[in-house]
Amino acid sequence: MSAESQKTNWAQFIPLVTVFFFWGFIAASNDILIPVFKTAFNLSQGQSQLVSVAFYIAYTVGSIIYMLVSYATKGDLINRIGYKNSLALGLVISALGTILFYPAANTGSFPLMLSGLFIVALGFSLQQTVANPLAIALGPITTGSQRLTLAGGINNLGTTIGPLLVSFAIFGSASDASSSLSIESVKVPYLILGAAFLLVAVFLKFSSLPDKPAAVVESEADVASARKSALDYPQLVLGMIAIFVYVGVEVSTASNLPAYMENGLGFATKDVAPFISLYWASLMIGRWTGAVEAFTDNMNTQKILRFVAPYLAFGVFLLVNMFMKHDLSPFYIYGLVILVLIAADMASKGNPATMLLIFSGLGIAALLIGMTTNGMVSVYAFTSVGLFCSTLWPCIFTLAISGLGKNTSQGSSFLIMMIMGGGLVSWLQGFVADLTTIHFSYIVGVICFAYLAFYAWRVSGILKNQGIDFSKKVSGGH
């Protein structure tokens, strides 16, 4: 591995994470659109989850299109047109989707709204196929999951702000007692987002991002990458299921939370937004904590940052909500829950498999506490799932594509395909809620976390047999 790949290339990494912000902003905003559409279009809880289905199934469709085009052109599409051009193309596709919000809002068309979200996510599919392995490749493999965690922290800055701004666009100020639902009010913020997509596409096109990361080029001659297809690697195949259930539990926990708070606790729809924001801010808190190793090798500095980073992220959440004139008093006690996250992060010692196992166990505990309690205790328990989901994506992604070499972009596409779990698991939980109660429906998330714990245990042995051991903190990783 080259000397340059021994350290993170921040000049290239910083412009890359712009797209991570967009993914978070849109995905978390869907949790505000779900109860709004449910009321406006008179939908059941299961039907309202079609917002998640349309958005997340687009990732699968996008990955299938990517593979078909690659097959038709007899070469990997991303390797052919370059990583940078692929990112720009994905942003343009997403911008086209935002345009549909204008006629959809004017005509009050639910199918057209879903179509707009589908096209936006179609562009995200291509962007994610490129950006995730690129973030890992811009430095040594041993800190690849930490870089992806840091990028995820930027993603969750978007998830923290998104619900609040979209809620403000629909309902107005939190202090406005006359706030009422307006479907037409969603069109302006989404058109502004479309313009932002196009501006960032131009910016990335002329940035210093590589058309093909050096780490992938160097590994194409590796013996470990001699297999013909990414599907020949068991860590990837099992990782695809892991991504499916991970995105599923992350999204379904949040997307069903408004219904629980409204039906079970009597919250008004417009008052749910700060708690949805806290859920997604929890992912930001966890990812800022899990990313400290990407900044420094000094153990003493890392110990300090592990306490500073999460509360700094929590401060961002409080600051944004203060600016939006929300009551902050219900959130201060959440600072104690963050201590559990810090202890779990320290116990993992930066090993992605260990972290996946510990955090999956904590996710199960949080959901069970939420299911067996009532009132605000249950809300905090369900919200804390965001803390324990926070670093799972980079852990799974890093473990799943490790050792794939020239099959990396293909493997990444397969993983992005499985993001459809966000829609299907959300719909499944909504369906279970319609049959039982919204409270009991969180059993679906418990099952998802159980598989993730199994994957963490199984993949460690698979990678060690291939000569990849993340417990050895040696620069270069292999």
Side-chain angles (χ1 to χ4, degrees):
M1 190 167 285
S2 68
E4 186 177 345
S5 64
Q6 300 295 310
K7 59 183 180 179
T8 299
N9 191 325
W10 294 109
Q12 296 176 347
F13 181 81
I14 291 173
L16 173 66
V17 297
T18 308
V19 294
F20 284 79
F21 175 87
F22 286 142
W23 305 339
F25 189 102
I26 296 292
S29 298
N30 290 345
D31 296 330
I32 299 302
L33 295 181
I34 286 171
V36 169
F37 289 169
K38 181 181 179 181
T39 300
F41 300 111
N42 194 27
L43 306 173
S44 69
Q45 181 62 14
Q47 289 172 330
S48 70
Q49 296 301 312
L50 288 175
V51 171
S52 293
V53 173
F55 186 78
Y56 289 100
I57 204 72
Y59 284 94
T60 301
V61 174
S63 295
I64 291 173
I65 293 173
Y66 162 75
M67 288 187 289
L68 290 176
V69 172
S70 296
Y71 178 78
T73 57
K74 298 181 179 180
D76 185 274
L77 176 64
I78 293 174
N79 287 339
R80 183 183 298 272
I81 69 175
Y83 278 58
K84 186 160 55 175
N85 289 333
S86 298
L87 273 177
L89 176 60
L91 284 162
V92 171
I93 294 172
S94 294
L96 293 175
T98 62
I99 296 175
L100 285 183
F101 276 81
Y102 194 87
N106 285 339
T107 60
S109 171
F110 184 50
L112 204 54
M113 286 280 188
L114 296 181
S115 298
L117 283 172
F118 178 86
I119 295 174
V120 169
L122 204 62
F124 285 179
S125 174
L126 180 56
Q127 295 166 42
Q128 291 231 29
T129 301
V130 175
N132 284 285
L134 190 54
I136 294 173
L138 295 178
I141 186 64
T142 48
T143 55
S145 64
Q146 282 79 19
R147 271 189 305 283
L148 202 50
T149 298
L150 177 59
I154 302 300
N155 173 282
N156 291 121
L157 182 60
T159 61
T160 303
I161 296 172
L164 299 174
L165 290 183
V166 171
S167 179
F168 181 83
I170 296 174
F171 298 109
S173 171
S175 61
D176 184 1
S178 63
S179 296
S180 59
L181 185 150
S182 173
I183 292 294
E184 288 196 16
S185 59
V186 305
K187 60 187 178 185
V188 173
Y190 279 87
L191 287 176
I192 293 174
L193 272 173
F197 289 156
L198 294 177
L199 286 175
V200 173
V202 174
F203 171 69
L204 290 178
K205 172 66 177 175
F206 295 100
S207 72
S208 61
L209 279 174
D211 283 325
K212 192 172 185 181
V216 174
V217 174
E218 292 174 6
S219 63
E220 286 185 352
D222 290 350
V223 174
S225 63
R227 307 179 197 186
K228 292 183 179 180
S229 170
L231 293 176
D232 292 333
Y233 297 85
Q235 66 263 38
L236 177 73
V237 176
L238 294 174
M240 289 169 63
I241 302 173
I243 288 289
F244 180 93
V245 298
Y246 155 68
V247 180
V249 68
E250 178 191 277
V251 174
S252 64
T253 300
S255 63
N256 286 281
L257 186 59
Y260 171 67
M261 295 183 68
E262 292 166 20
N263 300 334
L265 304 179
F267 276 72
T269 301
K270 70 183 183 67
D271 295 329
V272 172
F275 293 91
I276 296 299
S277 175
L278 177 61
Y279 177 84
W280 293 108
S282 295
L283 278 97
M284 177 174 68
I285 292 166
R287 286 170 177 172
W288 285 24
T289 306
V292 297
E293 289 188 33
F295 289 102
T296 178
D297 294 327
N298 187 288
M299 296 299 294
N300 291 327
T301 304
Q302 287 181 13
K303 289 178 181 178
I304 296 173
L305 288 177
R306 277 194 169 91
F307 282 89
V308 173
Y311 287 104
L312 182 62
F314 187 46
V316 170
F317 162 77
L318 294 174
L319 188 63
V320 171
N321 276 273
M322 182 177 67
F323 179 77
M324 300 298 291
K325 299 181 180 180
H326 292 139
D327 179 16
L328 301 183
S329 58
F331 305 119
Y332 295 131
I333 194 172
Y334 200 71
L336 296 177
V337 183
I338 295 174
L339 292 174
V340 178
L341 165 80
I342 296 172
D345 180 71
M346 294 177 69
S348 72
K349 298 180 180 179
N351 185 313
T354 304
M355 182 174 287
L356 181 58
L357 182 61
I358 293 174
F359 278 53
S360 296
L362 288 171
I364 292 174
L367 287 175
L368 291 177
I369 291 172
M371 292 172 64
T372 54
T373 58
N374 294 290
M376 292 307 298
V377 173
S378 63
V379 173
Y380 293 134
F382 289 140
T383 303
S384 70
V385 171
L387 291 174
F388 309 129
C389 279
S390 59
T391 60
L392 300 194
W393 171 276
C395 289
I396 297 168
F397 211 99
T398 301
L399 293 166
I401 68 170
S402 292
L404 267 61
K406 66 180 180 181
N407 298 306
T408 297
S409 59
Q410 184 188 60
S412 176
S413 178
F414 282 126
L415 292 173
I416 299 305
M417 179 189 299
M418 304 310 287
I419 290 178
M420 65 179 175
L424 297 183
V425 175
S426 294
W427 172 83
L428 177 61
Q429 184 174 344
F431 179 74
V432 172
D434 288 335
L435 292 178
T436 57
T437 65
I438 190 70
H439 210 178
F440 177 78
S441 70
Y442 280 94
I443 190 66
V444 173
V446 173
I447 296 171
C448 291
F449 275 124
Y451 176 81
L452 292 175
F454 162 76
Y455 177 67
W457 167 76
R458 183 72 183 92
V459 76
S460 296
I462 293 172
L463 292 179
K464 284 182 180 179
N465 289 337
Q466 296 179 13
I468 303 171
D469 189 354
F470 284 92
S471 64
K472 298 177 180 178
K473 306 298 287 183
V474 179
S475 186
H478 288 62

